[in-house]
Amino acid sequence: MKDILLEVYDVHVHYGGVKALDGASVALDEGEVVALMGPNGAGKSTVLKAIFGLAPLERGEVRWHGAPILPVPHEIVARGISFVPQGRRVFAGLSVEENLEVGGFLVKDKAERKRRIAEVFDFFPVLKHKRALNAATLSGGEQQMLAIARGMITEPKVLLLDEPSLGPAPKIVKEVFIKIKEISERHKTAIMVVEHNLVSLLSIARRAYVLDKGKVVAEGESKKVVESGILEKVFLGAA
Ligand SMILES: Nc1ncnc2c1ncn2[C@@H]1O[C@H](COP(=O)(O)OP(=O)(O)OP(=O)(O)O)[C@@H](O)[C@H]1O
Ligand SMILES: [Mg+2]
């Protein structure tokens, strides 16, 4: 059997009476960028939360190199998985640099942490420029970049990104996606990204999964998935 880096296998998640995931399986290979698509409430965020140990698994498993792992957040981080949740969560009371310090708390060596922060600043010059400012004063796009930058501090093997394009203006969204592409290419980071923007998607993700009502209803090369018309179907509620 091929050794897949990360797999969500037949996962079921219930919230009270709501079935958020109904036997969903997705996979992420070393260094690839994969998109999760689908209408509101389809279960996209729940897939990422399940990987990160933030959703109650009723059935199914999360596998790392083919072996089931216990989805507990600190163990997941220690394996090299980083999660940037929906809604550009930055610590509003802290400066840009302090936000990155917090993101790097697992990097115990202080000099190493400084080195990584410097590297991230090189990657996002706008954040370097505003390093001393309170994160709350950043624009939406800048906060999104900060959230992604914070996720990179641990130098993850896997980056889980939930709707990085939500909020910022199109020009900034484009910039954010160029950065995401660069991250995957430069650091060989495997990225699973929840994305609604088709143009952005095609520019970065080789493969895509379409979720609807907690199930994977299509998967494959992203261009083919888009061309198949399945997205129109699920978004119109006809799948
Ligand atoms: N903590 C929670 N408590 C109760 N219900 C939840 C919770 N989290 C998710 N759900 C429900 O589970 C379903 C899937 O939610 P999820 O957030 O995964 O969808 P999504 O595909 O990310 O949607 P969106 O595009 O709106 O972000 C929805 O019906 C949602 O209302
Ligand atoms: Mg969501």
Side-chain angles (χ1 to χ4, degrees):
M1 199 183 100
K2 198 166 147 280
D3 187 14
I4 297 167
L5 178 64
L6 176 67
E7 243 182 314
V8 166
Y9 182 75
D10 190 30
V11 163
H12 294 245
V13 174
H14 261 105
Y15 290 109
V18 178
K19 215 166 200 183
L21 288 181
D22 189 12
S25 300
V26 304
L28 182 67
D29 251 332
E30 212 97 40
E32 75 168 343
V33 182
V34 164
L36 299 185
M37 312 193 73
N40 295 124
K44 306 178 298 294
S45 295
T46 306
V47 169
L48 301 191
K49 287 181 193 162
I51 294 171
F52 212 69
L54 299 173
L57 298 199
E58 193 179 318
R59 232 174 81 195
E61 28 184 62
V62 177
R63 296 173 180 163
W64 183 249
H65 290 289
I69 54 170
L70 206 60
V72 179
H74 68 268
E75 286 193 22
I76 304 292
V77 173
R79 275 173 207 274
I81 302 177
S82 195
F83 179 37
V84 181
Q86 203 166 348
R88 49 187 142 95
R89 308 253 179 84
V90 299
F91 299 108
L94 302 181
S95 72
V96 167
E97 186 154 13
E98 286 163 348
N99 263 271
L100 297 176
E101 289 272 354
V102 172
F105 80 100
L106 272 182
V107 184
K108 294 298 175 207
D109 185 78
K110 208 172 168 199
E112 174 63 12
R113 206 162 61 224
K114 284 267 171 268
R115 184 192 69 74
R116 292 193 191 182
I117 290 175
E119 196 178 74
V120 165
F121 276 149
D122 280 348
F123 207 75
F124 295 99
V126 61
L127 297 181
K128 185 177 188 176
H129 186 63
K130 299 192 170 182
R131 63 200 292 167
L133 296 184
N134 189 307
T137 68
L138 299 183
S139 75
E142 291 164 351
Q143 288 186 20
Q144 190 62 67
M145 287 190 200
L146 178 57
I148 295 171
R150 201 176 55 203
M152 285 172 64
I153 287 286
T154 51
E155 297 189 344
K157 284 197 194 70
V158 172
L159 195 53
L160 308 173
L161 297 176
D162 201 347
E163 302 210 32
S165 70
L166 201 68
K171 185 177 160 285
I172 306 291
V173 167
K174 204 171 160 206
E175 228 171 279
V176 169
F177 274 93
I178 289 170
K179 286 297 176 195
I180 293 172
K181 194 164 184 212
E182 263 180 59
I183 295 168
S184 75
E185 283 167 3
R186 203 195 294 181
H187 299 279
K188 300 270 175 290
T189 311
I191 300 178
M192 191 174 281
V193 54
V194 172
E195 182 50 38
H196 282 298
N197 184 322
L198 288 183
V199 180
S200 310
L201 166 75
L202 290 177
S203 72
I204 63 164
R206 191 178 62 81
R207 290 196 308 122
Y209 291 88
V210 180
L211 278 103
D212 190 33
K213 301 183 188 79
K215 291 185 198 296
V216 173
V217 293
E219 63 179 280
E221 204 185 305
S222 38
K223 195 164 172 287
K224 289 197 176 130
V225 168
V226 169
E227 284 167 1
S228 75
I230 183 75
L231 290 165
E232 287 81 349
K233 271 191 199 149
V234 297
F235 279 98
L236 292 174

